[in-house]
Amino acid sequence: MKDIINTRCGWAGTDELYIKYHDEEWGRLVTDDKTLFEFLVLESAQAGLAWITILRKREGYKKAFHHFDVEQVARMTSEDIEQLMQFDGIIRNRLKIKSTITNAKLFLAIQKEFGSFYNYILSFFPDKKPIINKFKSLSEIPVSSPESDAMSKDMKKRGFKFFGTTICYAYLQATGFINDHLTGCICRKNK
């Protein structure tokens, strides 16, 4: 894969949905918990799949999980799980659907403990600030970091599912806590 395609990180390729996501969301710091929960749902659903698969089903996830209202998701029941197993708009994996509900309950507990999920994430970062890497090629970008290792380990201890260090690192990239736009990317120049 080329490092830079059409002035942006090469992983975005030429797919319009990927380009829009790359240009408008990926690597931009998210501070609101609703969006942080949305990405938690989407990234954990992505485990073992290509991110573009989840992006294409994003609207389905939005519909299935109450527009990512964490309190409503936390109250979902086994009946809701059965309905979602018939819904084409998401990946119909029973364990992932159940884990979304479990993760919502745990997300609420973290909000209560830390004041916000945003504060919880920052607690894993030096000086409580996002990291801006200066990678020139895609091959330099790691699949995990000390921050994603520590955060995923803590989340696992709390009972979160489908959120290992690689998924956690992708989550931190997506939500801008780790900015891995390549130095030659137009998004880096616009910051």
Side-chain angles (χ1 to χ4, degrees):
M1 177 183 295
K2 285 181 158 181
D3 291 322
I4 300 288
I5 297 174
N6 297 329
T7 71
R8 53 184 55 86
C9 298
W11 61 261
T14 57
D15 183 289
E16 284 183 34
L17 185 60
Y18 242 173
I19 290 170
K20 182 175 175 18
Y21 170 71
H22 170 275
D23 291 359
E24 297 175 12
E25 292 185 87
W26 193 76
R28 292 180 187 232
L29 184 63
V30 174
T31 60
D32 71 283
D33 276 11
K34 182 171 181 152
T35 306
L36 290 172
F37 179 66
E38 175 181 356
F39 275 101
L40 184 88
V41 171
L42 297 175
E43 290 288 352
S44 61
Q46 186 252 333
L49 303 169
W51 179 243
I52 192 67
T53 303
I54 302 304
L55 272 184
R56 289 186 179 129
K57 290 187 175 279
R58 192 175 193 175
E59 283 305 309
Y61 276 92
K62 188 175 185 178
K63 183 177 177 184
F65 294 107
H66 303 284
H67 295 266
F68 303 108
D69 180 319
V70 66
E71 291 180 2
Q72 285 190 50
V73 175
R75 289 192 299 267
M76 290 175 78
T77 65
S78 55
E79 288 174 6
D80 295 313
I81 294 168
E82 292 311 316
Q83 287 178 344
L84 291 179
M85 285 299 294
Q86 307 306 314
F87 180 54
D88 268 346
I90 64 170
I91 303 300
R92 292 180 290 184
N93 176 311
R94 186 177 303 278
L95 292 175
K96 287 184 179 182
I97 294 168
K98 285 173 80 171
S99 75
T100 298
I101 299 166
T102 300
N103 289 352
K105 293 172 185 172
L106 297 167
F107 190 97
L108 289 171
I110 284 175
Q111 284 181 317
K112 194 177 243 182
E113 182 181 343
F114 287 83
S116 70
F117 200 77
Y118 172 76
N119 289 340
Y120 170 72
I121 296 171
L122 280 182
S123 74
F124 295 97
F125 284 77
D127 305 321
K128 299 200 182 329
K129 292 182 180 172
I131 294 169
I132 300 171
N133 288 317
K134 294 177 173 61
F135 299 128
K136 292 183 169 104
S137 72
L138 294 173
S139 62
E140 293 177 70
I141 299 174
V143 296
S144 65
S145 69
E147 296 78 19
S148 70
D149 291 346
M151 185 172 158
S152 67
K153 182 178 179 184
D154 185 74
M155 289 175 77
K156 184 177 184 177
K157 190 170 71 179
R158 291 171 184 270
F160 281 85
K161 304 286 184 218
F162 292 99
F163 216 77
T165 189
T166 301
I167 292 294
C168 187
Y169 190 80
Y171 175 80
L172 295 172
Q173 289 174 305
T175 55
F177 289 89
I178 296 177
N179 185 333
D180 277 344
H181 280 288
L182 297 180
T183 55
C185 175
I186 191 166
C187 291
R188 181 57 67 103
K189 294 176 175 117
N190 290 340
K191 292 201 180 269

